[in-house]
Amino acid sequence: MPATVIVGLQWGDEGKGKTTDFLAEQVAMVVRYQGGDNAGHTVVTGDEVFKLHLVPSGVLYRHITSVIGNGVVVNPATLISELDMLAGRGIDVARVRVSRSAHVTMPYHVALDRAMERRLDGAKVGTTGRGIGPTYGDRAWRIGLRMEDLLDEAVLRERIGRALPDKNQLLASLGEAAFELDRLVDLGLGWGQRLRPHLDDTTWLVQDALRRGDHVLLEGAQGTLLDLDHGSYPYVTSSNPVAGGACTGGGIGPLQVDEVMGVMKAYATRVGSGPFPTELLDEIGRGIAARGHEVGTTTGRPRRVGWFDAVPLRYAVAVNSVSSIMLNKIDILSGLDPIRLCVAYDIDGRRVEHWPSSAIELARAQPVFEEFAGWSEPIHGVRSLADLPENARRYVTALEDHAGVPIVLVSVGPERTQTIERAWRPMRHRPAAPLA
């Protein structure tokens, strides 16, 4: 059975939570492979809405083993709160597993993140203030804490004690209060005792599942255009949401991936700072934002809204080796006429059809639009592409043509059942197994 990677093709907030939840019924394990509690997945099941920040979306299914991989940075306080919320709402969390190698977001990481953003003032990156960047920074400096360290007082005290003097000195220079070693050690030990039943060697957990023939789904947070290496740097996240991040952050090899499903919505949104060529600052944008409930799951910040941009779509399909796409929130465009689609940029008088590697150049990009006639019919009850209004089908076809890969799922509402599903999804063809 395959390993499937779910990856965002825009600036995050594409609806990956619904995609994972929709596909999870067919799989045995869902693995979150990067990011931290700066991400949020919203899953709607009937009248219930679940907002998840660390636990994979598949937790809502009893048969799923939900894995937080080694590439995730974990704030244990957030994780414990989330597990308690789920258990309180009748969800079994006994099968949630957390990599012993995942790095821990400590209170001083959060304090540093927020203080550094305040210091940047007008040049803010737009972080969520959750300590994600400082945690990944400590991982790269090799002075970070891993989840397994929370189980050993001597190791925990040594690791925190080694990092804390520099953290406190930096915090003092930013006008922030210092942290006490003993209190942090006690806090960490409490987290460790509470989370001990969930800690595991998740690399072998995932490898054993694939060896058994189980279908494993790997979900990322954020989106391709926020990738640390491939996004609009410096207005990016601190990890690799691209499909390749599933290998390093989930414990699999590239030849174990059979399908990469890209997720996008029928328009564009962005949270935080950075260039956004198709941004709408008018009543149309405010209307889309209101109908689409475009507010950050984690921060509650309003999302910036714009027309769909096909220039980074082609780039995202390429760098992720996308084999199929789920299109979300096409229902939000009902009633708009015309609908605009960015197909190229004008940069300093040049027509540009490739995503610029330079954020400085991107900031000068002016969108080149094509217009499509809209539709007025409500589509929440549609369950086949043939039953979509003709103009909606034309818009979906245009997006598919620009992507160069098939759109196999189309969401027409927030619930699982409000999904148009094609009967097939392309996957990489593996060599035939040798005859015994």
Side-chain angles (χ1 to χ4, degrees):
M1 292 298 290
T4 297
V5 178
I6 304 296
V7 62
L9 300 181
Q10 296 163 301
W11 278 284
D13 308 310
E14 301 95 346
K16 296 181 294 297
K18 173 173 178 175
T19 305
T20 300
D21 179 67
F22 182 82
L23 297 178
E25 188 174 8
Q26 310 164 24
V27 308
M29 180 178 288
V30 177
V31 182
R32 166 82 178 274
Y33 62 82
Q34 50 77 222
D37 62 348
N38 58 334
H41 290 331
T42 300
V43 181
V44 179
T45 305
D47 295 331
E48 291 201 83
V49 179
F50 293 87
K51 295 182 181 295
L52 304 173
H53 303 279
L54 282 170
V55 178
S57 307
V59 72
L60 302 184
Y61 289 91
R62 289 186 176 273
H63 71 282
I64 294 284
T65 298
S66 296
V67 177
I68 297 174
N70 59 277
V72 179
V73 292
V74 178
N75 185 325
T78 301
L79 178 56
I80 290 168
S81 175
E82 197 161 296
L83 292 173
D84 288 345
M85 177 275 292
L86 289 166
R89 296 178 64 178
I91 305 299
D92 183 9
V93 297
R95 295 171 70 91
V96 174
R97 292 291 178 267
V98 184
S99 172
R100 296 170 64 94
S101 301
H103 276 248
V104 180
T105 296
M106 296 294 289
Y108 50 76
H109 292 131
V110 177
L112 283 168
D113 193 2
R114 294 174 180 175
M116 293 292 284
E117 273 288 276
R118 286 194 296 270
R119 185 179 67 85
L120 290 171
D121 194 26
K124 290 181 179 179
V125 174
T127 78
T128 59
R130 297 299 182 100
I132 307 304
T135 309
Y136 277 115
D138 278 5
R139 185 179 79 160
W141 276 104
R142 297 174 297 280
I143 58 171
L145 297 173
R146 305 209 298 183
M147 293 298 292
E148 63 183 359
D149 298 333
L150 302 179
L151 305 178
D152 188 315
E153 181 174 0
V155 171
L156 184 62
R157 183 174 295 276
E158 187 274 331
R159 296 278 167 84
I160 297 177
R162 181 174 54 176
L164 192 58
D166 289 342
K167 304 301 181 190
N168 281 338
Q169 184 176 358
L170 181 53
L171 284 166
S173 73
L174 295 167
E176 300 294 321
F179 288 88
E180 296 180 7
L181 176 60
D182 288 342
R183 290 189 178 182
L184 290 176
V185 171
D186 289 343
L187 183 65
L189 289 173
W191 289 337
Q193 288 306 307
R194 174 64 196 279
L195 294 172
R196 182 187 292 270
H198 298 283
L199 300 187
D200 208 335
D201 183 338
T202 58
T203 296
W204 280 117
L205 195 68
V206 172
Q207 288 294 328
D208 287 344
L210 291 170
R211 193 174 297 111
R212 288 193 304 269
D214 292 342
H215 190 162
V216 175
L217 192 66
L218 298 104
E219 66 170 2
Q222 291 91 32
T224 299
L225 306 184
L226 293 181
D227 186 271
L228 181 60
D229 293 291
H230 300 287
S232 51
Y233 189 90
Y235 304 102
V236 294
T237 194
S238 303
S239 58
N240 294 111
V242 294
C247 295
T248 55
I252 63 171
L255 292 181
Q256 292 177 302
V257 177
D258 291 76
E259 177 187 28
V260 178
M261 179 173 284
V263 184
M264 63 191 193
K265 53 190 172 188
Y267 51 94
T269 62
R270 178 166 195 170
V271 171
S273 305
F276 188 4
T278 66
E279 185 170 12
L280 288 165
L281 300 173
D282 56 11
E283 286 301 318
I284 294 175
R286 287 187 283 274
I288 293 173
R291 292 191 301 277
H293 304 289
E294 295 298 347
V295 176
T297 303
T298 297
T299 63
R301 290 183 295 182
R303 294 173 184 147
R304 301 158 64 189
V305 173
W307 293 117
F308 191 95
D309 193 341
V311 179
L313 170 63
R314 295 188 286 266
Y315 173 77
V317 167
V319 299
N320 290 294
S321 295
V322 170
S323 55
S324 60
I325 291 174
M326 179 170 186
L327 175 65
N328 286 320
K329 289 195 169 183
I330 191 171
D331 53 297
I332 304 303
L333 298 184
S334 294
L336 288 178
D337 192 10
I339 293 170
R340 306 184 86 188
L341 168 63
C342 176
V343 296
Y345 298 147
D346 183 303
I347 301 178
D348 302 330
R350 296 178 295 112
R351 182 183 174 97
V352 175
E353 297 185 357
H354 295 287
W355 174 255
S357 59
S358 166
I360 298 172
E361 190 175 15
L362 183 64
R364 300 199 304 273
Q366 298 298 314
V368 177
F369 286 113
E370 289 184 358
E371 291 192 350
F372 292 80
W375 60 93
S376 58
E377 304 94 318
I379 60 174
H380 292 100
V382 174
R383 296 296 179 268
S384 72
L385 285 174
D387 291 335
L388 281 176
E390 181 179 355
N391 288 342
R393 292 200 306 274
R394 287 177 177 170
Y395 184 64
V396 172
T397 298
L399 296 182
E400 189 173 63
D401 288 344
H402 281 286
V405 295
I407 294 174
V408 298
L409 298 171
V410 179
S411 173
V412 294
E415 296 191 23
R416 288 175 190 162
T417 56
Q418 293 177 307
T419 306
I420 297 170
E421 183 176 12
R422 286 184 174 175
W424 60 279
R425 303 208 309 266
M427 298 186 185
R428 181 174 62 83
H429 295 293
R430 290 178 175 273
L435 297 175

